[in-house]
Amino acid sequence: MSQDDDDFDPVQLPDEAQRIDAYRGEARWTRERFERLHGRAFLLMRRVQAERAKRPARRIQTLIQELPAESFRDLPPDRYLIFPLRKTERSLIERFYSVGQTRNNDVVIRDATVSKFHAYFQDDGSGGWLLQDAQSSNGTYVNEEAVPEQDQGDPVPVRPGDRVRFGTVELVLLDSEDFLSLLRQVHGGR
């Protein structure tokens, strides 16, 4: 880990998250080829700055704070973690994409405010996503609106560019096309 990584405890580094640099060699791939390997959606998390991490209440900011897509290139790539939204072999439930703190989830976010099984995404049948809270301790939010717990309301649609928060961990959802565009802006490509 570099000196810039002092804002994350190495024990809590999410095992499924990748730096954007991990995708550098795939910036020129077609969207179809990229989706076959990585899935069709990604959750991006901007890593906290060291001075922010020292505050008692840990809040991780999103990649996008009302920034136009062109602004992505101005953000240092090593400050982002990428969570592919895809099924994994270790997840026990086939019908949705689980999010939580433990390794048996499809998306693993190691943070004290994220429950073991926090929430889940479902395909909406038309290429989009639905999100439902799994009776987590600290709630799930889309664009700061609370997502109902299962059996307490319908899942909430989530669209590319939406801010999603699990506990205090805030991310942004990008589809594969937007993620590839970001990747090409950061690392070059067509």
Side-chain angles (χ1 to χ4, degrees), residues 112-179:
T113 65
V114 175
S115 296
K116 290 179 183 179
F117 173 45
H118 195 98
Y120 56 91
F121 287 90
Q122 296 173 285
D123 291 310
D124 72 358
S126 63
W129 299 98
L130 298 171
L131 181 61
Q132 186 86 62
D133 185 85
Q135 299 178 349
S136 67
S137 298
N138 295 306
T140 302
Y141 302 84
V142 173
N143 299 322
E144 292 306 316
E145 294 290 326
V147 172
E149 292 181 359
Q150 68 187 55
D151 301 325
Q152 301 295 315
D154 292 331
V156 173
V158 184
R159 293 173 180 75
D162 282 349
R163 291 172 291 133
V164 179
R165 182 162 54 90
F166 305 104
T168 62
V169 178
E170 201 169 300
L171 308 104
V172 66
L173 180 83
L174 292 181
D175 62 17
S176 59
E177 187 173 343
D178 290 338
F179 181 66

Side-chain angles (χ1 to χ4, degrees), residues 15-16 27-28 34 52 55 62 71 110 125 147 152 177:
D15 62 348
E16 282 302 299
R28 294 190 176 121
F34 191 82
R52 294 192 68 162
R55 292 183 181 172
T62 63
S71 299
R110 302 278 174 112
V147 172
Q152 301 295 315
E177 187 173 343

Side-chain angles (χ1 to χ4, degrees), residues 60-90:
I60 300 171
Q61 296 298 311
T62 63
L63 172 69
I64 301 175
Q65 294 180 9
E66 306 307 319
L67 296 176
E70 300 81 44
S71 299
F72 285 125
R73 84 178 106 210
D74 299 332
L75 302 170
D78 64 341
R79 302 312 304 169
Y80 299 100
L81 291 177
I82 315 302
F83 296 84
L85 185 53
R86 64 176 181 210
K87 290 301 300 168
T88 62
E89 292 179 2
R90 60 179 189 266

